[in-house]
Amino acid sequence: PFKTHINAWNMDLYLSISPELYLKRLLVAGFEKVYTICKNFRNEGVDRTHNPEFTMLECYWAYKDYRDMMELTEDLFVYVTEKLFGSTEVTYQGKVINFKKPWERISMVDAITKYAKINVREKSDDELKKIIKDYKIKVEGDIVRGKLIEAIFEELVEDKLIQPVFITNHPADTTPLCKTKRDDKELLERFEPYCMGWELGNAYSELNDPVKQKELLKQQAESGKRGDSEAHQYDKDFIIALEHGMPPAGGLGIGVDRMVMLLTNARSVRDIITFPTMKPE
């Protein structure tokens, strides 16, 4: 995280990585629909679709789940494209993209089978590690099966997802903040929308069990100590809030900058940020 300092209290602070845990506190407080459009700051490298400072739309809706968030995502893109262009079709860098509902839905492992011709269901952990090694794929933190599958997907499949699609059924050990599927505890009630080979967002049925959440965040903190730069930090105040009771909810985050790139035919994220972070001359 980016570190800063407040002189009035002589206290170190950190620029926001995500508003998620604070918006969920509002669900605990009784607000049933909350959202923010805010700046996030992440040290995740810089390329055509990544900037250290970026704009995120994030929302949470009590008594809904990830399936409702899928519909909300589709409705958002359909509404905006029809308002701008009078159609759900957008041309980006010579490719015609259609955001018309319903978008394709495909599980992560099925997407790997379809686009990478690898059936990870039939592969042992050692075989998955060999694939990781053969393709020189980097995996941070604990080398667990779900992380291996996710890494293979990101390296071999993402860039092939051109038309809007929801990637569903992520492995259970890829995020600590999500509910497991009701019919399969090895998977999550989570999806990521993709288009033009980019992840456009992230969404899931929110975990609201304080005991389970505390256990998972402690595991993440330990993973962070072992070198996983994307591991969540333990947040004691958030756990206390959950112990007061958070309703079941669906959550959704949309990367506004990438959405604007698609809608304005901008090749680089730096083209749609007024003052992008740039390397000094």
Side-chain angles (χ1 to χ4, degrees), residues 207-219:
L207 180 59
N208 60 340
D209 178 343
V211 176
K212 183 66 174 176
Q213 186 66 92
K214 183 175 183 179
E215 174 191 335
L216 292 174
L217 286 182
K218 283 189 172 181
Q219 289 175 6

Side-chain angles (χ1 to χ4, degrees), residues 61-119:
W61 192 350
Y63 311 110
K64 300 293 182 178
D65 65 12
Y66 76 116
R67 294 167 297 191
D68 299 290
M69 296 300 106
M70 281 189 193
E71 190 169 348
L72 184 61
T73 304
E74 290 173 326
D75 289 344
L76 171 64
F77 276 86
V78 167
Y79 178 85
V80 172
T81 52
E82 287 185 340
K83 278 285 185 180
L84 287 174
F85 309 113
S87 166
T88 56
E89 286 191 355
V90 175
T91 300
Y92 181 78
Q93 302 295 297
K95 289 188 172 66
V96 177
I97 304 165
N98 197 335
F99 290 102
K100 182 181 178 181
K101 296 171 62 174
W103 297 5
E104 181 186 4
R105 290 152 168 77
I106 184 171
S107 71
M108 182 175 284
V109 294
D110 286 341
I112 295 172
T113 301
K114 179 177 179 179
Y115 293 101
K117 310 305 179 188
I118 299 171
N119 189 341

Side-chain angles (χ1 to χ4, degrees), residues 177-278:
L177 300 169
C178 178
K179 282 184 175 178
T180 54
K181 288 201 75 178
R182 278 155 263 204
D183 58 353
D184 189 343
K185 299 305 180 185
E186 297 299 314
L187 301 174
L188 296 173
E189 293 197 354
R190 178 188 180 191
F191 71 85
E192 290 175 319
Y194 278 85
C195 182
M196 283 303 303
W198 312 338
E199 175 198 336
L200 297 180
N202 190 18
Y204 33 83
S205 301
E206 303 299 331
L207 180 59
N208 60 340
D209 178 343
V211 176
K212 183 66 174 176
Q213 186 66 92
K214 183 175 183 179
E215 174 191 335
L216 292 174
L217 286 182
K218 283 189 172 181
Q219 289 175 6
Q220 285 282 300
E222 291 300 318
S223 182
K225 292 176 183 177
R226 292 191 292 270
D228 186 351
S229 64
E230 294 188 7
H232 289 260
Q233 297 185 14
Y234 183 75
D235 189 325
K236 179 182 177 182
D237 291 339
F238 175 61
I239 297 300
I240 291 173
L242 282 190
E243 288 171 346
H244 284 76
M246 186 181 95
L252 168 66
I254 295 288
V256 174
D257 301 313
R258 291 184 184 178
M259 183 180 188
V260 173
M261 284 180 67
L262 286 172
L263 300 178
T264 59
N265 198 23
R267 187 178 182 279
S268 169
V269 68
R270 290 190 293 275
D271 295 335
I272 56 91
I273 298 175
T274 314
F275 297 100
T277 311
M278 302 289 283

Side-chain angles (χ1 to χ4, degrees), residues 7-201:
N7 293 330
W9 296 317
N10 190 28
M11 186 170 72
D12 288 337
L13 296 173
Y14 299 89
L15 299 186
S16 174
I17 295 171
S18 165
E20 178 169 355
L21 302 189
Y22 296 91
L23 291 175
K24 288 180 181 177
R25 286 166 166 82
L26 293 176
L27 293 182
V28 172
F31 294 91
E32 293 188 1
K33 293 181 182 179
V34 294
Y35 81 94
T36 185
I37 299 174
C38 65
K39 294 293 185 181
N40 290 349
F41 303 85
R42 297 182 190 175
N43 270 317
E44 295 179 347
V46 178
D47 59 29
R48 191 165 66 88
T49 62
H50 288 86
N51 192 67
E53 174 187 346
F54 62 96
T55 305
M56 178 73 79
L57 180 154
E58 198 153 322
C59 64
Y60 295 87
W61 192 350
Y63 311 110
K64 300 293 182 178
D65 65 12
Y66 76 116
R67 294 167 297 191
D68 299 290
M69 296 300 106
M70 281 189 193
E71 190 169 348
L72 184 61
T73 304
E74 290 173 326
D75 289 344
L76 171 64
F77 276 86
V78 167
Y79 178 85
V80 172
T81 52
E82 287 185 340
K83 278 285 185 180
L84 287 174
F85 309 113
S87 166
T88 56
E89 286 191 355
V90 175
T91 300
Y92 181 78
Q93 302 295 297
K95 289 188 172 66
V96 177
I97 304 165
N98 197 335
F99 290 102
K100 182 181 178 181
K101 296 171 62 174
W103 297 5
E104 181 186 4
R105 290 152 168 77
I106 184 171
S107 71
M108 182 175 284
V109 294
D110 286 341
I112 295 172
T113 301
K114 179 177 179 179
Y115 293 101
K117 310 305 179 188
I118 299 171
N119 189 341
V120 295
R121 289 189 181 92
E122 297 179 352
K123 301 293 184 184
S124 67
D125 289 0
D126 286 340
E127 288 173 321
L128 293 179
K129 289 175 184 176
K130 185 177 186 305
I131 294 170
I132 293 287
K133 183 178 179 181
D134 290 345
Y135 283 96
K136 298 181 173 60
I137 302 172
K138 184 179 179 182
V139 181
E140 289 190 348
D142 298 332
I143 308 300
V144 293
R145 184 174 180 84
K147 283 281 192 77
L148 297 173
I149 292 172
E150 182 181 53
I152 291 168
F153 166 81
E154 290 174 351
E155 183 69 22
L156 303 181
V157 177
E158 277 189 358
D159 63 346
K160 300 175 179 65
L161 304 174
I162 304 303
Q163 292 299 322
V165 59
F166 292 124
I167 299 298
T168 65
N169 292 354
H170 295 230
D173 42 20
T174 57
T175 178
L177 300 169
C178 178
K179 282 184 175 178
T180 54
K181 288 201 75 178
R182 278 155 263 204
D183 58 353
D184 189 343
K185 299 305 180 185
E186 297 299 314
L187 301 174
L188 296 173
E189 293 197 354
R190 178 188 180 191
F191 71 85
E192 290 175 319
Y194 278 85
C195 182
M196 283 303 303
W198 312 338
E199 175 198 336
L200 297 180

